[in-house]
């Protein structure tokens, strides 16, 4: 009986600790954007969905400029322009302009990680244009938050964008064993928002990027890959588009010589388009070998770029440390510039003659 009474009392104590807010009495922020305003000022922009019966979701946009980089202070300025209190609990997307990302994001993400109401799966992004401009794009009936979060989610789950969110960004930022990356957004044709590559960070500062065309190779060696299409030329100049449907990646560490790594990639897919005639077994074999050569070339070039930039978005240091007991960061700094990475791809085309 005492045990049952205790179980009943626990929810009562827990609910007493929560801050109660009536939805009609607050403005729920779903998207936040940050832009540089001159050399020492920053503009903050928030999107608040406005729901009306039997009508598409509309967006109320509030913006304010502050002389500080601390997002909490920028939000304080925004509160003064809102008819109701602004709350962060439903944020799904944060957009930092390139200027802000190049200056550093630590102070801006600090407020998000300290607010218990903000989920760790929030998507952080970099804006090709000002975040304010992207947030005013055309989003149809779904609104900015649903449109952008769905855009990123489906490109992570079934396309070329590697997995990323607030939790993963913070892990890479503070672990010191790897460097973060974030998807880049831009306004495309017709004012619609689209993904425009991947921003690479050294610590909390954006220093380079990977184009859309190269994303497939980054995801193949950095993440679990599912779908995506890549076009390449065969030895006789025919062009073929191969749609990947599944892949697997394994990194092997040479414990005797940690300056040598092997990345094994297995990929299966089918021919989506082909400019030649009939696809014979010989031509299919040529396609597989041509794609394997492309994976080796592009992956090696990418890793060399990372070494020159002194960044480690693949998390190779963390991997080596987990395999070799007593391996220290000082050793990695000596090894990384001369790191030798062998790429071993295995491409298998399972179907041919398919045209989308």
């Amino acid at each position: 009986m005492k045990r049952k009474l205790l179980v009943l009392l626990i929810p009562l104590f827990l609910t007493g600790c929560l801050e109660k807010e009536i939805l009609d009495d607050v403005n729920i922020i779903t998207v936040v954007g940050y832009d540089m305003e001159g050399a020492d000022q920053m503009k903050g922009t928030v999107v608040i969905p406005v729901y009306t019966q039997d009508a598409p979701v509309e967006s109320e946009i509030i913006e304010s400029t502050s002389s500080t980089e601390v997002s909490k202070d920028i939000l304080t300025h925004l509160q003064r322009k809102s008819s109701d209190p602004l709350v962060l609990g439903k944020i799904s997307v944060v957009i930092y302009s390139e200027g802000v990302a190049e200056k550093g994001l630590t102070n801006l993400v600090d407020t998000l990680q300290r607010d218990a109401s903000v989920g760790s799966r929030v998507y952080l992004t970099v804006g090709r244009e000002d975040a304010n401009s992207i947030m005013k794009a055309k989003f149809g009936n779904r609104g900015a938050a649903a449109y952008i979060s769905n855009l990123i989610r489906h490109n992570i789950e079934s396309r070329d964008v590697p997995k990323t969110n607030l939790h993963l960004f913070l892990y890479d930022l503070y672990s010191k064993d790897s460097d973060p990356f974030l998807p880049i957004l831009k306004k495309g044709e017709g004012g619609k928002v689209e993904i425009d590559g991947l921003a690479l960070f050294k610590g909390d500062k954006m220093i380079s990027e990977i184009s859309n065309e190269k994303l497939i190779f980054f995801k193949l060696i950095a993440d679990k890959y599912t779908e995506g299409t890549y076009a390449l030329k065969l030895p006789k100049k025919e062009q073929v588009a191969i749609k990947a449907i599944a892949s697997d990646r394994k990194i092997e560490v040479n414990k005797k010589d940690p300056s040598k790594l092997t990345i094994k990639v297995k990929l299966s897919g089918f021919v989506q388009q082909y400019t030649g005639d009939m696809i014979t077994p010989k031509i299919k074999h040529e396609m597989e070998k041509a794609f394997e050569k492309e994976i080796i070339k592009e992956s090696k070039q990418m890793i060399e770029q990372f070494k020159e930039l002194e960044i480690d978005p693949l998390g190779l240091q963390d991997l080596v440390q987990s395999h070799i007991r007593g391996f220290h960061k000082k050793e990695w700094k000596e090894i990384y510039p001369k790191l030798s990475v062998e790429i071993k791809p295995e491409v298998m085309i399972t179907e041919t003659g398919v045209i989308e």
Side-chain angles (χ1 to χ4, degrees), residues 176-306:
K176 307 300 181 184
D177 297 333
S178 55
D179 291 289
F181 48 81
L182 294 176
I184 300 173
L185 301 179
K186 76 168 186 178
K187 287 170 73 174
E189 295 181 8
K192 294 288 186 70
V193 173
E194 60 186 58
I195 291 173
D196 192 36
L198 195 72
L200 299 174
F201 287 75
K202 186 173 185 178
D204 72 332
K205 295 178 175 62
M206 176 182 172
I207 62 167
S208 189
E209 64 182 81
I210 298 174
S211 66
N212 278 340
E213 293 72 28
K214 309 289 184 180
L215 278 181
I216 183 174
F217 302 106
F218 181 79
K219 190 163 184 178
L220 280 172
I221 60 176
D223 202 351
K224 180 181 179 182
Y225 191 79
T226 49
E227 297 179 25
T229 303
Y230 188 74
L232 60 127
K233 288 184 179 180
L234 298 181
K236 294 182 180 179
K237 307 301 181 184
E238 309 101 312
Q239 292 188 344
V240 59
I242 298 174
K243 184 174 180 65
I245 55 175
S247 76
D248 187 30
R249 180 218 66 172
K250 182 179 180 182
I251 301 180
E252 296 179 350
V253 178
N254 188 327
K255 294 184 179 181
K256 294 182 179 179
D257 186 357
S259 67
K260 295 180 179 179
L261 300 177
T262 301
I263 301 179
K264 294 182 177 181
V265 176
K266 289 186 177 182
L267 182 144
S268 60
F270 61 82
V271 177
Q272 195 172 48
Q273 293 181 338
Y274 176 57
T275 59
D277 298 323
M278 184 180 295
I279 301 176
T280 63
K282 180 182 177 182
I283 292 175
K284 183 169 81 74
H285 181 72
E286 288 178 357
M287 291 177 180
E288 293 170 342
K289 293 304 174 186
F291 201 2
E292 288 174 358
K293 286 182 180 179
E294 199 76 1
I295 292 172
I296 293 171
K297 183 188 76 172
E298 295 291 345
S299 300
K300 281 183 171 291
Q301 287 179 356
M302 200 171 287
I303 292 170
E304 288 303 313
Q305 177 193 4
F306 299 157

Side-chain angles (χ1 to χ4, degrees), residues 19-85:
E19 184 178 350
K20 295 180 181 178
E21 290 175 332
I22 308 301
L23 291 180
D24 290 340
D25 296 336
V26 296
N27 281 331
I28 301 172
I29 299 172
T30 56
V31 184
V32 183
Y34 296 98
D35 298 302
M36 293 303 302
E37 287 279 290
D40 58 354
Q41 288 197 321
M42 189 171 291
K43 177 190 282 186
T45 307
V46 296
V47 172
I48 301 164
V50 178
Y51 300 97
T52 52
Q53 192 171 2
D54 300 325
V57 178
E58 296 182 2
S59 296
E60 179 184 353
I61 294 179
I62 304 176
E63 53 192 64
S64 183
T65 302
S66 172
S67 58
T68 177
E69 297 175 23
V70 181
S71 58
K72 191 172 184 179
D73 291 342
I74 295 173
L75 288 171
T76 300
H77 284 263
L78 289 165
Q79 292 280 14
R80 295 170 185 155
K81 294 189 174 185
S82 176
S83 58
D84 291 304

Side-chain angles (χ1 to χ4, degrees), residues 290-333:
F291 201 2
E292 288 174 358
K293 286 182 180 179
E294 199 76 1
I295 292 172
I296 293 171
K297 183 188 76 172
E298 295 291 345
S299 300
K300 281 183 171 291
Q301 287 179 356
M302 200 171 287
I303 292 170
E304 288 303 313
Q305 177 193 4
F306 299 157
K307 287 161 63 176
E308 289 175 9
L309 295 170
E310 297 181 339
I311 61 175
D312 184 15
L314 299 176
L316 298 179
Q317 179 186 348
D318 187 30
L319 188 75
V320 171
Q321 287 179 332
S322 66
H323 281 75
I324 301 178
R325 183 177 295 179
F327 188 86
H328 299 292
K329 187 175 181 179
K330 288 183 180 179
E331 295 177 75
W332 178 253
K333 284 187 175 181

